[in-house]
Amino acid sequence: MYKSIALGVTASLFSLSSMAQFSAGADFALPNWDGASVGYGVSAGYEVDAGDNMGVTAQVGYLIMGVDDAFFSNYAMIPIQLGAKYYLDEKSNGLYGHAQAGIHAMSITTPEIVIPGFGLIDDIVIPETTTSDSNVSFAVGAGYAVNESVDVSVRYNVITYDGGSNNYIGVRAGYTLGGSK
């Protein structure tokens, strides 16, 4: 059963690939939460036609967040989102709006902490720890297709978790690798 579904999805994607656009992009993130500063990374995108001015999108990336808190030594995110674009002019040209939803897989590493015993007791060592979590996320934004190959967009991402949310402004400059326009 699962093989049949996987085969059907794969066949559908290959049949749509003649109408699809693949892109690679450079990403920047401006977070609003404590402990993180400007992040940077890369992403891959996929867009398939869904009408005259519409496109259905999929995007996955890898962001390394800057760390401005001594308590964190590494902070990374993998956003995986599906969405839609609506072009205000014509398909793959000019200004567009877009919305996305998915998950952000996050990994945070805290450094080893040594509390000195000053010769009275042994030093207390708290080992380096890496914590990973995946949270539901969504984004809204706008972009501009500069030409058939270059696309620039900005989005407001919200990452939800129990008890609240974090958000960041994401900026992406993408280059279309192939497919139909």
Side-chain angles (χ1 to χ4, degrees):
M1 175 71 174
Y2 292 112
K3 289 181 182 179
S4 298
I5 293 171
L7 184 59
V9 169
T10 302
S12 297
L13 288 176
F14 278 112
S15 69
L16 293 173
S17 66
S18 65
M19 301 181 302
Q21 297 177 25
F22 296 92
S23 66
D27 289 77
F28 300 93
L30 305 168
N32 77 333
W33 61 88
D34 292 334
S37 61
V38 175
Y40 59 93
V42 295
S43 62
Y46 178 81
E47 181 179 345
V48 65
D49 290 345
D52 291 340
N53 290 30
M54 292 279 303
V56 175
T57 64
Q59 190 170 317
V60 63
Y62 183 77
L63 292 167
I64 298 170
M65 303 304 289
V67 178
D68 62 4
D69 187 336
F71 191 67
F72 299 124
S73 63
N74 187 358
Y75 198 134
M77 297 189 301
I78 300 174
I80 304 168
Q81 296 180 312
L82 302 175
K85 283 184 180 178
Y86 181 78
Y87 292 88
L88 299 177
D89 189 12
E90 61 186 51
K91 181 79 176 85
S92 298
N93 187 25
L95 192 62
Y96 63 84
H98 64 105
Q100 299 172 315
I103 64 168
H104 271 61
M106 303 191 316
S107 173
I108 301 170
T109 302
T110 56
E112 179 180 272
I113 299 171
V114 178
I115 302 170
F118 300 107
L120 302 172
I121 60 171
D122 290 338
D123 291 348
I124 299 171
V125 178
I126 301 171
E128 178 178 274
T129 305
T130 299
T131 305
S132 298
D133 197 10
S134 294
N135 298 299
V136 173
S137 62
F138 57 92
V140 294
Y144 189 80
V146 177
N147 57 38
E148 291 183 356
S149 299
V150 178
D151 180 274
V152 179
S153 64
V154 63
R155 67 193 175 282
Y156 183 76
N157 262 292
V158 177
I159 305 168
T160 64
Y161 59 88
D162 288 340
S165 65
N166 285 335
N167 52 62
Y168 68 91
I169 296 173
V171 178
R172 180 177 193 259
Y175 182 79
T176 301
L177 301 172
S180 162
K181 301 287 181 202

